[in-house]
Amino acid sequence: MKKIIRLMILIVTATLLIFAIYNIYSSASKASDNRSGASNASDIADSRVYKVVVDPGHGGKDRGATGASGHYEKDFTLQLAQKVKELSEQETQFEVYMTRTDDTFISTVDRKRPEFAKRQGADLFISIHGNTYDDPDVSGTETYYYHEESLPLAKIMHKQVVEATGFRDRDVKKEDYFVPKDTDMPAVLLEVGYLTNPQDEEQLLMDDVQYRIAASIVDGIKEYLKMK
């Protein structure tokens, strides 16, 4: 009789233990599912592809600055923008659209550059330029913005480009240029370096330096989107 009672107690104890283990496993599975659901929701929220318009300054009969060696700004800006486009194709978070892909003249009168960005539904606008000054000793990198919402983007892009060029830091500045002013998304105008400075120009026309600057622009876009 005692053996039967002990056996029944063992059976009841084992049953209760199995039931307890099942409850623990079930609760853990639900918690894991909840965490997975939250993670998936986050992934979905972050899966948006942002549109970035890169604007190679000048073009066609609008040559822009003439560099110390006679090279035109319009050619430098297109070369650099093309490299930004090339490097951006490795990214999944954003797509780059260019206001021009060849030596095309774009009128400033009808504001086609900012209008292009608006038609694309762009999230960011980055205009690329090479600077000019009468004094060939003047050098450095400057970044311009107009609307206050563009200031965070300007600071990030400026930091990245200054590090890439190694040129003098001429700071972030607010200026009434129509390109950053007439856009309705965060926009900056990058004066990467002074083409009229022989040392700046020599660097800016080098293919590997252009790739380094292009990579810094891509990194700046990524940093800004991550911040958002």
Side-chain angles (χ1 to χ4, degrees):
M1 185 68 180
K2 290 181 178 180
K3 289 182 179 180
I4 295 174
I5 293 173
R6 283 198 296 270
L7 182 59
M8 291 178 64
I9 291 172
L10 286 173
I11 292 171
V12 171
T13 302
T15 301
L16 292 174
L17 181 60
I18 292 170
F19 184 73
I21 292 172
Y22 172 80
N23 283 338
I24 292 171
Y25 175 79
S26 179
S27 298
S29 295
K30 289 179 180 178
S32 176
D33 289 344
N34 288 338
R35 287 194 298 270
S36 177
S39 175
N40 289 338
S42 176
D43 290 344
I44 291 170
D46 294 339
S47 66
R48 174 185 172 189
V49 177
Y50 292 83
K51 294 181 179 180
V52 179
V53 168
V54 173
D55 170 43
H58 308 283
K61 64 182 180 181
D62 177 10
R63 298 172 176 175
T66 300
S69 66
H71 286 83
Y72 297 133
E73 180 183 359
K74 66 173 184 174
D75 299 321
F76 160 70
T77 61
L78 181 59
Q79 291 165 5
L80 182 54
Q82 287 171 332
K83 291 177 175 64
V84 173
K85 180 74 165 64
E86 176 187 341
L87 296 180
S88 72
E89 289 172 355
Q90 304 171 21
E91 304 298 328
T92 58
Q93 193 179 6
F94 60 89
E95 295 176 346
V96 164
Y97 300 82
M98 293 171 57
T99 55
R100 66 182 179 97
T101 57
D102 54 21
D103 189 20
T104 299
F105 172 71
I106 301 178
S107 173
T108 60
V109 176
D110 47 13
R111 304 299 198 252
K112 284 188 176 180
R113 297 173 192 269
E115 286 303 318
F116 173 83
K118 291 176 184 177
R119 289 197 308 272
Q120 293 294 333
D123 299 286
L124 299 176
F125 184 95
I126 298 169
S127 189
I128 296 175
H129 289 260
N131 222 332
T132 180
Y133 199 69
D134 293 337
D135 184 351
D137 291 331
V138 175
S139 67
T141 300
E142 300 172 345
T143 301
Y144 292 93
Y145 74 101
Y146 183 76
H147 300 289
E148 287 303 310
E149 68 168 355
S150 298
L151 181 56
L153 175 64
K155 288 181 176 180
I156 289 172
M157 297 304 302
H158 184 74
K159 176 195 70 174
Q160 291 282 356
V161 174
V162 167
E163 289 178 359
T165 62
F167 296 161
R168 177 187 170 191
D169 184 347
R170 298 181 63 90
D171 214 349
V172 174
K173 303 172 183 179
K174 181 175 182 178
E175 191 61 61
D176 191 14
Y177 294 141
F178 85 88
V179 173
K181 181 179 179 181
D182 289 358
T183 50
D184 55 8
M185 72 288 298
V188 296
L189 188 152
L190 303 175
E191 292 282 8
V192 180
Y194 278 78
L195 292 169
T196 46
N197 178 281
Q199 290 75 35
D200 278 15
E201 186 204 38
E202 182 181 9
Q203 291 293 309
L204 293 174
L205 297 181
M206 294 174 65
D207 207 50
D208 60 331
V209 174
Q210 289 183 8
Y211 269 111
R212 188 169 71 233
I213 297 168
S216 76
I217 292 172
V218 171
D219 287 343
I221 295 168
K222 290 161 63 176
E223 182 179 345
Y224 178 77
L225 294 178
K226 183 178 179 180
M227 180 194 73
K228 287 189 66 178

